[in-house]
Amino acid sequence: MPAGTRTPLPLLNTNFYSSSCPNVSAIVRGVMEQAQQSDVQIGAKPIRLHFHGCFVQGCDGLESEQDANPNAGSVTGFEVADDIKAALENACPAVVSCADILAIASQVGVYRQGGSDWEVELGRRDSRTTNKAEANTALPSLFDNFDELTHSLSAMGLDSTDVVALSVAHTFGRAQCGTFSPCLYNFSGTGGPDPTLDSAFLNTLRQICPPSDDGDTMTDLDSSSPDSFDNNYFTNLQNNQGLLRTDQELTSGATDIVNWFAGSQSEFFDAFARSMVKMGSSRPLTGSSGEIRV
């Protein structure tokens, strides 16, 4: 190799821990199964951490997104990530990164709730640095329109199909009233509700989140099947019953994709798996870059 030529970093692959920690997936699954006994929503939490973590400096473990403005007071799931890390440190000390833990836990959480299955590519390492300023600007706002949302994800190499597929992570989990109440009472500063919201759905949400609510009350992201990973999310959007503004915006910017996924759960599952692998390979640290955080 000519002098000065850099050796290419190894790519992510599904067999990365086959020798160094062969039971990694089983260990993650065991901790997730245990956690689910006391928290039926546990499957939704790692996927949000993984998704948002990949926005900031690539998929490099939990860091600056924890207390970034878009997540202030609402991001959860750190406890199960810590429990998984502790179990893996006991079995394979200083081997498995936090970034890979989130990737595996996301797959386990989705599959255990009836959703897609895919082989997780591994080999990410954790960053040694944080960038809260980037987190504040890179993480999408809950009030972004479709063009703004697509622009945010395009920086990760994701297209409009990926945007729609990955948004369905909101088919399970819960959201605080503060994340959507402006759409109930003062949409875009109009002093009234979002005119596109289904009227019955609007009335239900106003009962859950009255004007006096402090914004912390929780409600299901998917009212039709709150604890299952399925394509009912898209049926909700077709009926103008998307909880978050970024959800309902998909019908204005990608109607054909929403209708496609609403009509075929199997094709949606396949697309979601592809998009998760694609997102998970966004700017990872590999080789000797970064560290394995203990």
Side-chain angles (χ1 to χ4, degrees):
M1 181 175 292
T5 301
R6 297 181 62 185
T7 302
L9 293 175
L11 298 175
L12 303 179
N13 66 83
T14 58
N15 297 313
F16 188 82
Y17 297 111
S18 59
S19 298
S20 59
C21 194
N23 294 325
V24 58
S25 295
I27 292 171
V28 174
R29 186 167 56 252
V31 175
M32 290 284 288
E33 289 173 353
Q34 181 67 31
Q36 193 174 35
Q37 293 180 17
S38 58
D39 182 2
V40 71
Q41 296 285 324
I42 199 64
K45 296 177 180 180
I47 198 170
R48 180 184 180 188
L49 297 177
H50 180 46
F51 183 79
H52 282 202
C54 289
F55 268 91
V56 186
Q57 303 182 155
C59 304
D60 61 359
L62 297 182
E63 294 210 353
S64 49
E65 77 275 8
Q66 291 189 38
D67 56 358
N69 292 338
N71 281 336
S74 66
V75 66
T76 58
F78 300 117
E79 297 83 2
V80 73
D82 288 342
D83 289 345
I84 294 170
K85 181 63 174 174
L88 286 169
E89 285 300 306
N90 183 59
C92 318
V95 170
V96 184
S97 67
C98 295
D100 277 349
I101 285 172
L102 291 183
I104 300 169
S106 296
Q107 183 273 331
V108 171
V110 168
Y111 183 68
R112 281 188 55 76
Q113 298 303 118
S116 308
D117 192 13
W118 66 94
E119 289 192 88
V120 182
E121 295 186 340
L122 303 167
R124 302 167 191 81
R125 289 168 66 85
D126 301 317
S127 176
R128 293 190 177 98
T129 62
T130 62
N131 191 333
K132 185 176 179 179
E134 181 181 344
N136 285 333
T137 57
L139 290 173
S141 165
L142 291 171
F143 302 100
D144 281 351
N145 61 37
F146 184 76
D147 288 341
E148 291 168 331
L149 188 62
T150 303
H151 178 73
S152 294
L153 272 70
S154 67
M156 301 166 66
L158 303 174
D159 59 25
S160 57
T161 300
D162 298 315
V163 172
V164 178
L166 293 172
S167 293
V168 88
H170 291 163
T171 188
F172 61 175
R174 295 188 174 94
Q176 294 173 312
C177 288
T179 62
F180 59 86
S181 59
C183 294
L184 309 183
Y185 300 104
N186 189 26
F187 178 68
S188 297
T190 61
D194 179 351
T196 66
L197 272 178
D198 173 75
S199 58
F201 187 56
L202 171 64
N203 290 334
T204 296
L205 294 179
R206 282 180 162 178
Q207 292 176 25
I208 296 170
C209 307
S212 59
D213 187 87
D214 60 8
D216 292 337
T217 300
M218 306 287 284
T219 191
D220 295 321
L221 282 161
D222 178 356
S223 58
S224 59
S225 52
D227 298 327
S228 298
F229 191 97
D230 53 38
N231 67 339
N232 286 347
Y233 168 90
F234 297 110
T235 305
N236 294 341
L237 300 186
Q238 291 176 322
N239 294 328
N240 292 320
Q241 295 180 357
L243 184 67
L244 303 181
R245 183 58 190 168
T246 49
D247 293 330
Q248 197 59 55
E249 272 291 310
L250 300 181
T251 59
S252 64
T255 305
D256 290 346
I257 303 173
V258 169
N259 292 340
W260 171 34
F261 289 159
S264 175
Q265 180 157 284
S266 62
E267 291 189 33
F268 154 61
F269 277 6
D270 289 344
F272 181 82
R274 289 193 298 270
S275 295
M276 284 296 294
V277 172
K278 191 174 176 181
M279 182 195 75
S281 63
S282 173
R283 300 176 294 163
L285 296 173
T286 58
S288 59
S289 300
E291 65 181 357
I292 301 300
R293 194 176 306 122
V294 296

